[in-house]
């Protein structure tokens, strides 16, 4: 599979990253192993997770996704160096002191993640959410120590807007600290305003890699949700209500027409559109069965024409 350079990190990744948020949530450990096997066999070697996944599930406390990935890595000797592993710090772990981007918490959180993942390094470590209580200098200084220690290889930020990312780069340059090299924004055919424009231009100008989350709008862009009654098909159904409107349906109509023309699925077209957007290195997408992994293969190989890309973009304007 062809690989793409991820900003200035030196990392080479496929044009689609697997989202491990489903592990320990909608996918149990056994099925997670089957999915990871299928992904690896097909060349999808970049995996995104976070320390907090999946703390929202009753009975969970966070770390479940990392733990499953770690068990899979341990069961496959020699695979670790062939996998590009992303994880995150900063979300609320629902225990006192276990959130944010302070140097104290980062120093503890990285050890927790390394233990769960059963590895001695993370390829790409993300600040999960902005932390208004911690200066960028403190956070980036903590990452500098981890980079020098070899515990992480690159750093990124999730959910920063243009103003926040710009300020973080200014602080890094002024203080001689490492810069955020990758951005993880919410971005898909429906949710575009948070990334397109100034933030997207900044990532292109500064050669910051971009890996998008909610790339299929919680599954809405698969085309299987047309009414409120369809929401019961998924545990993520309630998050899709906001898309059930004329603009959402116009996007689905465009996806379905182009999918039919290319003999593929709407979700595959939606991912191919993202792969072709300026600045985007790779969308992040989750799967709950091997058939979804086969769809990733199709999406990465799908060559949409300029007219098809423009039609999709216009549908969501």
């Amino acid at each position: 599979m062809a690989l793409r350079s991820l900003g200035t990190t030196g990392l080479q990744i496929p044009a689609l990253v697997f989202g491990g948020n489903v592990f320990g949530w909608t996918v149990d450990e056994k099925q997670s192993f089957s999915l990871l096997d299928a992904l690896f066999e097909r060349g999808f070697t970049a995996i995104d997770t976070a320390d907090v996944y999946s703390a929202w599930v009753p009975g969970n406390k966070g770390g479940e996704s990392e733990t499953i990935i770690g068990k899979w890595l341990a069961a496959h000797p020699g695979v670790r160096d062939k996998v590009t592993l992303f994880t995150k710090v900063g979300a609320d772990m629902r225990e006192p002191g276990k959130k944010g981007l302070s140097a104290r918490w980062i120093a503890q959180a990285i050890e927790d993640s390394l233990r769960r993942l059963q590895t001695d390094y993370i390829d790409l470590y993300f600040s999960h959410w902005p932390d208004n209580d911690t200066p960028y200098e403190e956070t980036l200084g903590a990452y500098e120590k981890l980079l020098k220690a070899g515990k992480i290889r690159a750093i990124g930020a999730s959910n920063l807007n243009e103003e926040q990312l710009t300020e973080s780069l200014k602080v890094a340059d002024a203080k001689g600290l490492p810069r955020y090299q990758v951005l993880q924004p919410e971005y898909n055919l429906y949710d575009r305003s948070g990334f397109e424009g100034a933030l997207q231009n900044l990532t292109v100008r500064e050669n910051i890699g971009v890996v998008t989350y909610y790339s299929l709008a919680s599954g809405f862009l698969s085309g299987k949700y047309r009414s409120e009654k369809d929401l019961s098909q998924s545990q993520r159904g309630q998050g899709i209500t906001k898309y059930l409107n004329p603009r959402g349906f116009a996007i689905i109509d465009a996806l379905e027409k182009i999918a039919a023309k290319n003999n593929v699925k709407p979700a595959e077209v939606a991912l191919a559109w993202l792969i072709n957007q300026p600045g985007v290195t790779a969308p992040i997408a989750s799967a709950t069965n091997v058939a979804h992994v086969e769809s990733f293969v199709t999406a990465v190989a799908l060559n949409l024409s300029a007219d098809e890309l423009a039609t999709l973009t216009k549908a969501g304007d």
Side-chain angles (χ1 to χ4, degrees):
M1 181 177 293
L3 301 178
R4 292 180 163 195
S5 296
L6 185 56
T8 61
T9 64
L11 300 171
Q12 298 284 317
I13 64 169
L16 188 143
V17 174
F18 181 75
N21 61 313
V22 292
F23 296 157
W25 177 24
T26 54
V27 181
D28 64 17
E29 184 174 307
K30 182 180 179 181
Q31 181 66 2
S32 297
F33 275 39
S34 295
L35 287 170
L36 288 165
D37 288 342
L39 288 158
F40 189 77
E41 289 165 2
R42 290 160 179 79
F44 293 108
T45 53
I47 304 168
D48 175 82
T49 186
D51 56 2
V52 76
Y53 298 163
S54 46
W56 55 86
V57 179
N60 284 4
K61 60 180 182 179
E64 289 78 15
S65 175
E66 288 184 332
T67 297
I68 288 171
I69 294 167
K71 289 181 179 179
W72 180 78
L73 289 171
H76 296 75
V79 164
R80 173 65 188 96
D81 290 343
K82 299 175 184 177
V83 171
T84 305
L85 200 55
F86 307 170
T87 195
K88 311 180 193 73
V89 59
D92 189 349
M93 297 292 286
R94 305 183 184 187
E95 291 185 36
K98 293 190 173 184
K99 68 175 181 178
L101 300 173
S102 69
R104 175 203 59 79
W105 173 231
I106 288 173
Q108 179 182 339
I110 186 65
E111 299 301 333
D112 293 344
S113 287
L114 290 171
R115 184 184 68 254
R116 288 188 293 257
L117 288 162
Q118 301 193 46
T119 184
D120 56 4
Y121 70 97
I122 304 296
D123 295 286
L124 177 56
Y125 201 38
F126 281 97
S127 295
H128 203 158
W129 295 97
D131 179 2
N132 295 327
D133 297 325
T134 304
Y136 290 117
E137 183 176 355
E138 178 178 343
T139 299
L140 297 176
Y143 290 149
E144 182 178 44
K145 291 180 181 178
L146 298 182
L147 287 162
K148 287 181 176 178
K151 293 181 179 181
I152 62 176
R153 293 187 169 180
I155 60 171
S158 184
N159 299 299
L160 292 189
N161 61 30
E162 186 270 341
E163 181 179 347
Q164 292 166 328
L165 183 55
T166 296
E167 181 62 23
S168 79
L169 297 176
K170 287 181 179 178
V171 170
D173 292 346
K175 301 294 183 178
L177 294 168
R179 288 171 140 226
Y180 286 129
Q181 299 160 284
V182 182
L183 179 71
Q184 186 173 145
E186 178 178 2
Y187 186 47
N188 56 60
L189 256 173
Y190 187 102
D191 300 295
R192 291 165 45 190
S193 61
F195 178 65
E196 290 183 355
L199 183 57
Q200 185 175 30
N201 293 339
L202 174 61
T203 62
V204 172
R205 186 168 66 249
E206 298 291 338
N207 192 20
I208 293 171
V210 176
V211 289
T212 63
Y213 75 89
Y214 283 172
S215 302
L216 291 175
S218 298
F220 172 72
L221 298 175
S222 68
K224 65 181 181 180
Y225 302 99
R226 282 288 189 168
S227 66
E228 294 276 352
K229 67 180 182 180
D230 294 330
L231 302 185
S232 62
Q233 298 179 50
S234 171
Q235 294 185 49
R236 306 170 76 176
Q238 292 309 308
I240 296 168
T241 304
K242 65 179 180 179
Y243 300 117
L244 302 178
N245 56 54
R247 177 168 171 264
F249 295 138
I251 293 170
I252 293 299
D253 287 343
L255 282 171
E256 289 182 340
K257 288 177 183 176
I258 292 172
K261 179 182 175 183
N262 289 276
N263 195 30
V264 296
K265 298 173 182 177
E268 295 160 359
V269 175
L271 291 172
W273 179 86
L274 268 177
I275 289 168
N276 282 279
Q277 294 312 296
V280 173
T281 312
I284 299 169
S286 300
T288 55
N289 59 60
V290 175
H292 293 157
V293 178
E294 293 292 353
S295 274
F296 296 164
V297 175
T298 301
V300 169
L302 182 57
N303 291 312
L304 296 176
S305 69
D307 285 346
E308 289 171 329
L309 290 168
T311 297
L312 292 165
T313 301
K314 185 177 180 180
D317 286 341

